[in-house]
mmCIF file of all heavy atoms in Angstrom:
data_model
loop_
_atom_site.group_PDB
_atom_site.id
_atom_site.type_symbol
_atom_site.label_atom_id
_atom_site.label_comp_id
_atom_site.label_asym_id
_atom_site.label_seq_id
_atom_site.Cartn_x
_atom_site.Cartn_y
_atom_site.Cartn_z
ATOM 1 N N ASP D 1 111.087 72.703 89.478
ATOM 2 C CA ASP D 1 109.893 73.162 88.786
ATOM 3 C C ASP D 1 108.803 73.534 89.782
ATOM 4 O O ASP D 1 108.113 74.550 89.616
ATOM 5 C CB ASP D 1 109.348 72.086 87.844
ATOM 6 C CG ASP D 1 110.287 71.803 86.680
ATOM 7 O OD1 ASP D 1 111.202 72.606 86.437
ATOM 8 O OD2 ASP D 1 110.085 70.767 86.019
ATOM 9 N N ILE D 2 108.646 72.723 90.793
ATOM 10 C CA ILE D 2 107.618 72.984 91.809
ATOM 11 C C ILE D 2 107.924 74.263 92.578
ATOM 12 O O ILE D 2 107.030 75.080 92.815
ATOM 13 C CB ILE D 2 107.488 71.773 92.758
ATOM 14 C CG1 ILE D 2 106.911 70.580 92.005
ATOM 15 C CG2 ILE D 2 106.609 72.122 93.950
ATOM 16 C CD1 ILE D 2 106.972 69.277 92.776
ATOM 17 N N VAL D 3 109.183 74.462 92.945
ATOM 18 C CA VAL D 3 109.574 75.659 93.679
ATOM 19 C C VAL D 3 109.314 76.917 92.846
ATOM 20 O O VAL D 3 108.728 77.893 93.319
ATOM 21 C CB VAL D 3 111.063 75.582 94.113
ATOM 22 C CG1 VAL D 3 111.569 76.914 94.625
ATOM 23 C CG2 VAL D 3 111.247 74.490 95.160
ATOM 24 N N VAL D 4 109.700 76.878 91.582
ATOM 25 C CA VAL D 4 109.483 78.021 90.696
ATOM 26 C C VAL D 4 107.986 78.278 90.535
ATOM 27 O O VAL D 4 107.522 79.427 90.557
ATOM 28 C CB VAL D 4 110.171 77.802 89.330
ATOM 29 C CG1 VAL D 4 109.730 78.865 88.317
ATOM 30 C CG2 VAL D 4 111.680 77.806 89.493
ATOM 31 N N SER D 5 107.202 77.221 90.385
ATOM 32 C CA SER D 5 105.753 77.370 90.219
ATOM 33 C C SER D 5 105.112 77.981 91.463
ATOM 34 O O SER D 5 104.243 78.856 91.351
ATOM 35 C CB SER D 5 105.108 76.003 89.922
ATOM 36 O OG SER D 5 105.592 75.477 88.737
ATOM 37 N N VAL D 6 105.519 77.520 92.626
ATOM 38 C CA VAL D 6 104.950 78.049 93.865
ATOM 39 C C VAL D 6 105.321 79.513 94.038
ATOM 40 O O VAL D 6 104.469 80.359 94.383
ATOM 41 C CB VAL D 6 105.403 77.218 95.080
ATOM 42 C CG1 VAL D 6 105.070 77.917 96.384
ATOM 43 C CG2 VAL D 6 104.767 75.836 95.033
ATOM 44 N N ILE D 7 106.572 79.872 93.770
ATOM 45 C CA ILE D 7 106.993 81.270 93.891
ATOM 46 C C ILE D 7 106.223 82.145 92.910
ATOM 47 O O ILE D 7 105.732 83.217 93.287
ATOM 48 C CB ILE D 7 108.525 81.396 93.657
ATOM 49 C CG1 ILE D 7 109.280 80.780 94.831
ATOM 50 C CG2 ILE D 7 108.927 82.857 93.457
ATOM 51 C CD1 ILE D 7 110.779 80.671 94.609
ATOM 52 N N ALA D 8 106.060 81.686 91.676
ATOM 53 C CA ALA D 8 105.294 82.471 90.684
ATOM 54 C C ALA D 8 103.852 82.606 91.115
ATOM 55 O O ALA D 8 103.268 83.691 91.018
ATOM 56 C CB ALA D 8 105.403 81.810 89.306
ATOM 57 N N GLY D 9 103.237 81.527 91.573
ATOM 58 C CA GLY D 9 101.833 81.571 91.999
ATOM 59 C C GLY D 9 101.618 82.497 93.180
ATOM 60 O O GLY D 9 100.664 83.289 93.189
ATOM 61 N N VAL D 10 102.493 82.416 94.161
ATOM 62 C CA VAL D 10 102.368 83.291 95.334
ATOM 63 C C VAL D 10 102.598 84.749 94.942
ATOM 64 O O VAL D 10 101.879 85.661 95.396
ATOM 65 C CB VAL D 10 103.349 82.849 96.439
ATOM 66 C CG1 VAL D 10 103.462 83.888 97.536
ATOM 67 C CG2 VAL D 10 102.925 81.517 97.021
ATOM 68 N N SER D 11 103.557 84.999 94.058
ATOM 69 C CA SER D 11 103.829 86.364 93.619
ATOM 70 C C SER D 11 102.637 86.967 92.893
ATOM 71 O O SER D 11 102.227 88.101 93.174
ATOM 72 C CB SER D 11 105.065 86.406 92.702
ATOM 73 O OG SER D 11 106.190 85.933 93.377
ATOM 74 N N VAL D 12 102.077 86.220 91.948
ATOM 75 C CA VAL D 12 100.937 86.740 91.183
ATOM 76 C C VAL D 12 99.725 86.934 92.090
ATOM 77 O O VAL D 12 99.025 87.948 92.001
ATOM 78 C CB VAL D 12 100.607 85.797 89.997
ATOM 79 C CG1 VAL D 12 99.287 86.164 89.346
ATOM 80 C CG2 VAL D 12 101.726 85.841 88.982
ATOM 81 N N THR D 13 99.479 85.983 92.982
ATOM 82 C CA THR D 13 98.352 86.122 93.911
ATOM 83 C C THR D 13 98.512 87.359 94.778
ATOM 84 O O THR D 13 97.567 88.111 95.002
ATOM 85 C CB THR D 13 98.237 84.856 94.786
ATOM 86 O OG1 THR D 13 98.043 83.723 93.947
ATOM 87 C CG2 THR D 13 97.081 84.957 95.748
ATOM 88 N N THR D 14 99.717 87.588 95.285
ATOM 89 C CA THR D 14 99.985 88.767 96.103
ATOM 90 C C THR D 14 99.753 90.053 95.320
ATOM 91 O O THR D 14 99.122 90.988 95.821
ATOM 92 C CB THR D 14 101.433 88.727 96.649
ATOM 93 O OG1 THR D 14 101.617 87.509 97.384
ATOM 94 C CG2 THR D 14 101.718 89.911 97.533
ATOM 95 N N LEU D 15 100.237 90.092 94.084
ATOM 96 C CA LEU D 15 100.036 91.277 93.254
ATOM 97 C C LEU D 15 98.560 91.533 92.973
ATOM 98 O O LEU D 15 98.087 92.688 93.005
ATOM 99 C CB LEU D 15 100.807 91.165 91.952
ATOM 100 C CG LEU D 15 102.320 91.294 92.058
ATOM 101 C CD1 LEU D 15 102.995 90.967 90.723
ATOM 102 C CD2 LEU D 15 102.712 92.671 92.535
ATOM 103 N N VAL D 16 97.806 90.468 92.717
ATOM 104 C CA VAL D 16 96.358 90.635 92.464
ATOM 105 C C VAL D 16 95.673 91.139 93.727
ATOM 106 O O VAL D 16 94.808 92.039 93.662
ATOM 107 C CB VAL D 16 95.737 89.304 91.975
ATOM 108 C CG1 VAL D 16 94.233 89.359 92.010
ATOM 109 C CG2 VAL D 16 96.222 88.985 90.576
ATOM 110 N N LEU D 17 96.022 90.604 94.863
ATOM 111 C CA LEU D 17 95.397 91.048 96.114
ATOM 112 C C LEU D 17 95.733 92.508 96.402
ATOM 113 O O LEU D 17 94.878 93.275 96.851
ATOM 114 C CB LEU D 17 95.820 90.153 97.270
ATOM 115 C CG LEU D 17 95.247 88.732 97.245
ATOM 116 C CD1 LEU D 17 95.833 87.902 98.373
ATOM 117 C CD2 LEU D 17 93.726 88.765 97.328
ATOM 118 N N ILE D 18 96.958 92.904 96.137
ATOM 119 C CA ILE D 18 97.353 94.308 96.339
ATOM 120 C C ILE D 18 96.597 95.209 95.364
ATOM 121 O O ILE D 18 96.113 96.278 95.736
ATOM 122 C CB ILE D 18 98.871 94.493 96.186
ATOM 123 C CG1 ILE D 18 99.598 93.826 97.373
ATOM 124 C CG2 ILE D 18 99.259 95.961 96.074
ATOM 125 C CD1 ILE D 18 101.100 93.734 97.196
ATOM 126 N N ALA D 19 96.468 94.750 94.111
ATOM 127 C CA ALA D 19 95.788 95.559 93.105
ATOM 128 C C ALA D 19 94.300 95.718 93.375
ATOM 129 O O ALA D 19 93.695 96.706 92.949
ATOM 130 C CB ALA D 19 95.998 94.958 91.727
ATOM 131 N N THR D 20 93.711 94.786 94.089
ATOM 132 C CA THR D 20 92.276 94.880 94.357
ATOM 133 C C THR D 20 91.946 95.614 95.650
ATOM 134 O O THR D 20 90.765 95.743 95.978
ATOM 135 C CB THR D 20 91.644 93.477 94.391
ATOM 136 O OG1 THR D 20 92.305 92.674 95.382
ATOM 137 C CG2 THR D 20 91.722 92.785 93.048
ATOM 138 N N LEU D 21 92.943 96.068 96.370
ATOM 139 C CA LEU D 21 92.696 96.863 97.569
ATOM 140 C C LEU D 21 92.046 98.191 97.155
ATOM 141 O O LEU D 21 92.279 98.688 96.049
ATOM 142 C CB LEU D 21 93.997 97.146 98.317
ATOM 143 C CG LEU D 21 94.663 95.934 98.976
ATOM 144 C CD1 LEU D 21 96.004 96.338 99.578
ATOM 145 C CD2 LEU D 21 93.767 95.368 100.060
ATOM 146 N N PRO D 22 91.255 98.773 98.004
ATOM 147 C CA PRO D 22 90.631 100.058 97.646
ATOM 148 C C PRO D 22 91.697 101.124 97.387
ATOM 149 O O PRO D 22 92.681 101.218 98.104
ATOM 150 C CB PRO D 22 89.799 100.430 98.874
ATOM 151 C CG PRO D 22 89.711 99.207 99.698
ATOM 152 C CD PRO D 22 90.833 98.308 99.316
ATOM 153 N N ALA D 23 91.461 101.892 96.341
ATOM 154 C CA ALA D 23 92.403 102.956 95.990
ATOM 155 C C ALA D 23 92.286 104.080 97.007
ATOM 156 O O ALA D 23 91.190 104.586 97.256
ATOM 157 C CB ALA D 23 92.117 103.468 94.594
ATOM 158 N N PRO D 24 93.392 104.486 97.615
ATOM 159 C CA PRO D 24 93.309 105.542 98.623
ATOM 160 C C PRO D 24 93.021 106.918 98.036
ATOM 161 O O PRO D 24 92.406 107.752 98.669
ATOM 162 C CB PRO D 24 94.694 105.512 99.269
ATOM 163 C CG PRO D 24 95.589 104.885 98.260
ATOM 164 C CD PRO D 24 94.737 103.971 97.460
ATOM 165 N N ASP D 25 93.449 107.197 96.799
ATOM 166 C CA ASP D 25 93.267 108.508 96.204
ATOM 167 C C ASP D 25 92.426 108.379 94.947
ATOM 168 O O ASP D 25 92.862 107.831 93.951
ATOM 169 C CB ASP D 25 94.634 109.104 95.881
ATOM 170 C CG ASP D 25 94.523 110.505 95.309
ATOM 171 O OD1 ASP D 25 93.451 111.131 95.473
ATOM 172 O OD2 ASP D 25 95.496 110.962 94.688
ATOM 173 N N ARG D 26 91.221 108.913 95.001
ATOM 174 C CA ARG D 26 90.311 108.798 93.859
ATOM 175 C C ARG D 26 90.215 110.121 93.081
ATOM 176 O O ARG D 26 89.336 110.297 92.264
ATOM 177 C CB ARG D 26 88.918 108.393 94.339
ATOM 178 C CG ARG D 26 88.903 106.997 94.951
ATOM 179 C CD ARG D 26 87.545 106.374 95.051
ATOM 180 N NE ARG D 26 86.567 106.679 94.042
ATOM 181 C CZ ARG D 26 86.396 105.989 92.917
ATOM 182 N NH1 ARG D 26 87.163 104.972 92.647
ATOM 183 N NH2 ARG D 26 85.439 106.326 92.056
ATOM 184 N N SER D 27 91.142 111.022 93.336
ATOM 185 C CA SER D 27 91.046 112.340 92.709
ATOM 186 C C SER D 27 91.184 112.265 91.185
ATOM 187 O O SER D 27 90.494 113.001 90.464
ATOM 188 C CB SER D 27 92.091 113.298 93.288
ATOM 189 O OG SER D 27 93.394 112.789 93.040
ATOM 190 N N VAL D 28 92.041 111.408 90.686
ATOM 191 C CA VAL D 28 92.208 111.282 89.230
ATOM 192 C C VAL D 28 90.940 110.695 88.612
ATOM 193 O O VAL D 28 90.445 111.195 87.586
ATOM 194 C CB VAL D 28 93.441 110.406 88.898
ATOM 195 C CG1 VAL D 28 93.509 110.156 87.408
ATOM 196 C CG2 VAL D 28 94.704 111.073 89.377
ATOM 197 N N ALA D 29 90.385 109.654 89.229
ATOM 198 C CA ALA D 29 89.170 109.040 88.715
ATOM 199 C C ALA D 29 88.018 110.049 88.727
ATOM 200 O O ALA D 29 87.251 110.168 87.757
ATOM 201 C CB ALA D 29 88.796 107.821 89.532
ATOM 202 N N GLU D 30 87.903 110.812 89.792
ATOM 203 C CA GLU D 30 86.833 111.803 89.887
ATOM 204 C C GLU D 30 87.005 112.912 88.842
ATOM 205 O O GLU D 30 86.033 113.390 88.252
ATOM 206 C CB GLU D 30 86.774 112.370 91.294
ATOM 207 C CG GLU D 30 86.262 111.355 92.300
ATOM 208 C CD GLU D 30 86.479 111.793 93.762
ATOM 209 O OE1 GLU D 30 87.028 112.875 93.993
ATOM 210 O OE2 GLU D 30 86.092 111.025 94.651
ATOM 211 N N ALA D 31 88.259 113.313 88.587
ATOM 212 C CA ALA D 31 88.522 114.331 87.572
ATOM 213 C C ALA D 31 88.141 113.814 86.189
ATOM 214 O O ALA D 31 87.553 114.547 85.382
ATOM 215 C CB ALA D 31 89.997 114.736 87.608
ATOM 216 N N MET D 32 88.472 112.565 85.904
ATOM 217 C CA MET D 32 88.113 111.994 84.596
ATOM 218 C C MET D 32 86.600 111.915 84.425
ATOM 219 O O MET D 32 86.069 112.195 83.352
ATOM 220 C CB MET D 32 88.725 110.597 84.424
ATOM 221 C CG MET D 32 90.223 110.585 84.338
ATOM 222 S SD MET D 32 90.756 111.353 82.826
ATOM 223 C CE MET D 32 92.488 111.495 83.135
ATOM 224 N N ILE D 33 85.906 111.529 85.463
ATOM 225 C CA ILE D 33 84.446 111.447 85.427
ATOM 226 C C ILE D 33 83.855 112.837 85.213
ATOM 227 O O ILE D 33 82.944 113.037 84.407
ATOM 228 C CB ILE D 33 83.904 110.788 86.702
ATOM 229 C CG1 ILE D 33 84.288 109.295 86.737
ATOM 230 C CG2 ILE D 33 82.398 110.934 86.796
ATOM 231 C CD1 ILE D 33 84.056 108.617 88.076
ATOM 232 N N ALA D 34 84.393 113.824 85.926
ATOM 233 C CA ALA D 34 83.859 115.189 85.824
ATOM 234 C C ALA D 34 84.132 115.811 84.459
ATOM 235 O O ALA D 34 83.314 116.589 83.959
ATOM 236 C CB ALA D 34 84.469 116.058 86.929
#
């Protein structure tokens, strides 16, 4: 249970950190705003 919990926690934390990185391409967002 502990191993599965740690793997799940590390995976979700990694995904959140990746998702919060600055977006390299803002062209779609700028097009929607425009």
Side-chain angles (χ1 to χ4, degrees):
D1 293 346
I2 292 170
V3 169
V4 170
S5 298
V6 168
I7 290 171
V10 168
S11 299
V12 170
T13 301
T14 303
L15 287 173
V16 167
L17 290 175
I18 290 170
T20 57
L21 292 175
D25 182 17
R26 296 198 33 89
S27 61
V28 173
E30 290 167 0
M32 293 292 169
I33 292 168

